[in-house]
Amino acid sequence: MTPSTDSDDDISTPPRRATAPTPQPAPTQPQAVFSLPTKWSVTDRSIHLTISQDGRDLTYTAGNGDKDGASARTDIPIPPACGIYYYEVEIRVTLALGRFAGPKVKFNRLPGWEPFSWGYHGDDGFSFTAERNGNPFSQTYGSSDVVGCGVDFSTHRAFYTKNGVLLGNVFENVGKGIDLYPSVGLQHPGESIRVNFGHEPFRFDIENHVQQQKNVAWNKIMATPLYTSILNPGRSASTSKAALSEEESKIVLNKLVLSYLIHHGYSKTVRAFQKQQDIVLKAKSATADDGDVDMDSDAAKENAVEVSLEDDIERRTRVVDAVIRGDIDRAITETEKYHPTVLKAEEGLMLFKLRCRKFVELILETAAMKRELDALEARRERPTFAPPIADGDGLEESMDMDIDDDQTCELSAPQVEPISKGAGKQRAENGLVSAAQYEAAINAAIDYGKALRADYKGDTRQVVKQLLTQTFSIIAFHDPLGQRGEMANFVSVNARTQLASELNQAILKSQGQPAQPALETLYRHTSACITQLGVFGEGAAGFADLQRELLEA
């Protein structure tokens, strides 16, 4: 929500940033879409390979007579949405063969000898993909070496490292159109490897490598022009693919920013932003037009528009801030004065919600008074006056209420024993609440609750019945703010903020403006699209980090 103050001194401070909800994977497989491989599969391996208990070690057992070798793969495939996937293999005994493989590769063959498998062999340094001869690639490797295997799903190319040094890219169309699994092959009895799927720091600086690829992807995104089809869906097909000029793009982006500032009530920032844009437009207009311009007339019109817009923002901000502070009466009065249709819309639903919150605030006020009186009574060594409340659990015994399925309730005033006038006067002079004030607050809450109940007794709408029940249930608690769970949320400051946001949206809707700023909607839509692209296998989606690039920059 908008801050309670918006002065010219802090107009350079950016508005509170909206946070887009984290998009969820497709519901058909919510747990598997973004899971990363972390261990070798117990079932998808050669019978001649043994796996350690933690799933990271592989050993080729002796006496198998399998001359072609033995291989294993992880239990789950790599999700392309990760952008780049990388793991490292430590060669424990003699040599090993690192690779990637598809789902139907045989486990008695070496890497790269089968279709849809890619391997880098340690004995000759050759790379293999569906072939027996291979091609020269890089260095050989053996015992004590750490070989890294990575795949970039934005390019569908593999890359390898040795002892923390990048050896280069190799292969084309790796994992394109199929599930891709980390895999390893051993050929001789006694060979052993241990894999690191991120359980511990890598030898190779993979984070820097990934960041470089992210920068490339993001620069490509930023260089992509806006098209008229995005901003004007109704345009004809002949013009929908035309790119907007740089000037047109700036105009569109400025409108998005301005609508965001207006929505959240940054009146001073809006004025400063508009003035900056007017200066630019006037400079361009003066350059393009040699005719006479009535500057006084134009300035008067602009000032009138600015004053009207600023007044509207400030009025709306006052209403919203009043709800956040708990001053519901002022919020209702201001809304009724400047935005009367809001309280009448949907059969007065917003007015009903505000009145329910008013009752909550009254009860919270009485509970605070009760706590103060109890604390004062506990500090007194020799009480000279009777306790203000009879023995019991507290506020719930001061207000008799019964709610049934038909929304019938009875509220009665509490029985408060009077205290000596001298003691009450003394506490009032010390700035403390008196029992008389507490009794008056209880009676005011009771009267308001009765009026609220009477006004909506015949309303059959489910939302009204539910909120009314929840609102009156607050008096069953001695200290509503000290509760947990649903009641704590219902009476919390966050509940005020949510109601204030609803009222803000209702006011904007009554003015013909969108309930949510277009900029926030655009952010959420973009975030959801990126997630879906990742689910569909577009690896570059993993590099479009909106949170980092736009909100944390």
Side-chain angles (χ1 to χ4, degrees), residues 82-86 159 204-216 542-543:
C82 68
I84 288 179
Y85 183 82
Y86 179 78
F159 62 92
F204 177 63
D205 189 358
I206 187 62
E207 291 185 5
N208 179 62
H209 181 81
V210 170
Q211 187 58 54
Q212 291 179 6
Q213 298 306 110
K214 281 186 176 182
N215 292 340
V216 171
F543 299 145

Side-chain angles (χ1 to χ4, degrees), residues 235-248:
R235 286 201 177 187
S236 62
S238 59
T239 60
S240 62
K241 294 183 179 180
L244 294 176
S245 66
E246 183 177 354
E247 189 61 34
E248 290 174 326

Side-chain angles (χ1 to χ4, degrees), residues 29-160:
Q29 43 180 349
Q31 298 300 322
V33 173
F34 295 117
S35 297
L36 296 173
T38 58
K39 61 182 178 180
W40 300 119
S41 172
V42 176
T43 56
D44 298 329
R45 62 183 174 89
S46 168
I47 60 174
H48 304 301
L49 294 179
T50 59
I51 303 178
S52 62
Q53 194 169 14
D54 63 2
R56 296 178 59 188
D57 292 358
L58 285 175
T59 302
Y60 197 133
T61 57
N64 57 70
D66 192 340
K67 63 180 181 180
D68 287 331
S71 61
R73 73 182 190 200
T74 55
D75 53 349
I76 59 175
I78 308 167
C82 68
I84 288 179
Y85 183 82
Y86 179 78
Y87 70 102
E88 291 182 343
V89 175
E90 178 186 357
I91 315 302
R92 291 288 181 85
V93 180
T94 64
L95 59 88
L97 310 166
R99 68 161 181 177
F100 294 101
K104 297 182 179 180
V105 174
K106 297 178 182 179
F107 298 114
N108 62 348
R109 302 277 289 169
L110 290 181
W113 288 1
E114 291 282 299
F116 304 109
S117 70
W118 299 264
Y120 164 37
H121 291 202
D123 55 351
D124 55 13
F126 278 35
S127 63
F128 294 79
T129 174
E131 56 187 341
R132 287 296 297 261
N133 295 327
N135 295 291
F137 170 60
S138 189
Q139 308 170 22
T140 61
Y141 58 87
S143 297
S144 301
D145 285 329
V146 174
V147 179
C149 312
V151 57
D152 185 341
F153 284 99
S154 67
T155 60
H156 287 283
R157 300 200 68 190
F159 62 92
Y160 290 93

Side-chain angles (χ1 to χ4, degrees), residues 219-237:
N219 290 337
K220 184 177 180 181
I221 291 173
M222 296 303 292
T224 302
L226 297 178
Y227 292 92
T228 55
S229 58
I230 299 176
L231 307 170
N232 299 284
R235 286 201 177 187
S236 62

Side-chain angles (χ1 to χ4, degrees), residues 369 373 388 416-421 424-425 427-428 432-443:
M369 289 181 174
L373 285 173
V416 181
E417 296 186 17
I419 61 174
S420 64
K421 294 183 179 179
K425 182 179 180 182
R427 282 201 297 273
L432 300 176
V433 65
S434 68
Q437 290 173 319
Y438 174 64
E439 182 179 0
I442 285 286
N443 288 329

Side-chain angles (χ1 to χ4, degrees), residues 194-317:
R194 181 169 178 79
V195 69
N196 176 16
F197 287 122
H199 302 89
E200 54 204 32
F202 293 120
R203 290 281 191 91
F204 177 63
D205 189 358
I206 187 62
E207 291 185 5
N208 179 62
H209 181 81
V210 170
Q211 187 58 54
Q212 291 179 6
Q213 298 306 110
K214 281 186 176 182
N215 292 340
V216 171
W218 189 255
N219 290 337
K220 184 177 180 181
I221 291 173
M222 296 303 292
T224 302
L226 297 178
Y227 292 92
T228 55
S229 58
I230 299 176
L231 307 170
N232 299 284
R235 286 201 177 187
S236 62
S238 59
T239 60
S240 62
K241 294 183 179 180
L244 294 176
S245 66
E246 183 177 354
E247 189 61 34
E248 290 174 326
S249 297
K250 287 182 178 179
I251 292 174
V252 171
L253 296 177
N254 287 339
K255 287 182 178 179
L256 288 173
V257 173
L258 184 61
S259 67
Y260 177 87
L261 296 174
I262 292 174
H263 178 96
H264 288 292
Y266 293 90
S267 58
K268 303 297 188 297
T269 310
V270 167
R271 183 170 60 183
F273 186 79
Q274 286 182 316
K275 285 183 177 180
Q276 181 186 27
Q277 299 308 309
D278 289 343
I279 292 173
V280 174
L281 291 175
K282 285 179 181 179
K284 292 181 179 179
S285 176
T287 303
D289 188 1
D290 295 332
D292 294 333
V293 179
D294 188 352
M295 298 300 294
D296 293 336
S297 176
D298 289 345
K301 291 179 181 179
E302 289 169 5
N303 289 335
V305 172
E306 286 180 5
V307 171
S308 176
L309 178 60
E310 186 173 343
D311 287 346
D312 177 73
I313 293 174
E314 290 182 351
R315 285 196 296 264
R316 180 162 48 85
T317 301

Side-chain angles (χ1 to χ4, degrees), residues 209-504:
H209 181 81
V210 170
Q211 187 58 54
Q212 291 179 6
Q213 298 306 110
K214 281 186 176 182
N215 292 340
V216 171
W218 189 255
N219 290 337
K220 184 177 180 181
I221 291 173
M222 296 303 292
T224 302
L226 297 178
Y227 292 92
T228 55
S229 58
I230 299 176
L231 307 170
N232 299 284
R235 286 201 177 187
S236 62
S238 59
T239 60
S240 62
K241 294 183 179 180
L244 294 176
S245 66
E246 183 177 354
E247 189 61 34
E248 290 174 326
S249 297
K250 287 182 178 179
I251 292 174
V252 171
L253 296 177
N254 287 339
K255 287 182 178 179
L256 288 173
V257 173
L258 184 61
S259 67
Y260 177 87
L261 296 174
I262 292 174
H263 178 96
H264 288 292
Y266 293 90
S267 58
K268 303 297 188 297
T269 310
V270 167
R271 183 170 60 183
F273 186 79
Q274 286 182 316
K275 285 183 177 180
Q276 181 186 27
Q277 299 308 309
D278 289 343
I279 292 173
V280 174
L281 291 175
K282 285 179 181 179
K284 292 181 179 179
S285 176
T287 303
D289 188 1
D290 295 332
D292 294 333
V293 179
D294 188 352
M295 298 300 294
D296 293 336
S297 176
D298 289 345
K301 291 179 181 179
E302 289 169 5
N303 289 335
V305 172
E306 286 180 5
V307 171
S308 176
L309 178 60
E310 186 173 343
D311 287 346
D312 177 73
I313 293 174
E314 290 182 351
R315 285 196 296 264
R316 180 162 48 85
T317 301
R318 285 200 304 269
V319 171
V320 170
D321 286 346
V323 177
I324 293 176
R325 293 193 308 271
D327 189 354
I328 307 301
D329 283 340
R330 180 175 181 180
I332 293 176
T333 301
E334 293 273 327
T335 304
E336 204 165 36
K337 182 178 180 180
Y338 298 110
H339 314 285
T341 59
V342 171
L343 301 181
K344 298 177 182 178
E346 299 182 84
E347 300 181 58
L349 185 59
M350 179 54 66
L351 177 60
F352 168 69
K353 290 182 178 180
L354 289 169
R355 291 187 64 185
C356 286
R357 185 68 203 189
K358 168 67 175 179
F359 182 75
V360 171
E361 296 297 336
L362 290 173
I363 297 299
L364 292 179
E365 182 182 4
T366 61
M369 289 181 174
K370 178 63 167 59
R371 288 195 302 271
E372 186 174 336
L373 285 173
D374 288 346
L376 182 62
E377 186 69 18
R379 289 196 300 266
R380 296 182 63 87
E381 295 180 358
R382 295 182 179 180
T384 59
F385 57 92
I389 295 294
D391 291 339
D393 292 334
L395 185 59
E396 67 274 13
E397 293 193 2
S398 300
M399 304 175 71
D400 182 26
M401 181 191 77
D402 178 56
I403 301 178
D404 56 23
D405 294 336
D406 295 326
Q407 297 294 300
T408 300
C409 70
E410 293 295 335
L411 301 176
S412 59
Q415 299 299 319
V416 181
E417 296 186 17
I419 61 174
S420 64
K421 294 183 179 179
K425 182 179 180 182
Q426 180 180 1
R427 282 201 297 273
E429 290 175 352
N430 291 336
L432 300 176
V433 65
S434 68
Q437 290 173 319
Y438 174 64
E439 182 179 0
I442 285 286
N443 288 329
I446 293 294
D447 292 341
Y448 193 88
K450 287 181 176 179
L452 179 64
R453 174 70 191 92
D455 290 344
Y456 294 96
K457 182 177 181 179
D459 199 318
T460 59
R461 287 177 292 178
Q462 192 65 25
V463 62
V464 173
K465 295 170 67 176
Q466 290 178 350
L467 183 55
L468 206 58
T469 300
Q470 191 175 23
T471 299
F472 286 137
S473 68
I474 186 178
I475 65 174
F477 300 92
H478 171 71
D479 183 11
L481 286 175
Q483 303 303 310
R484 296 181 180 180
E486 185 177 352
M487 177 51 62
N489 294 331
F490 182 67
V491 301
S492 67
V493 175
N494 287 337
R496 283 185 191 167
T497 303
Q498 183 177 353
L499 180 59
S501 179
E502 288 184 38
L503 181 55
N504 185 45

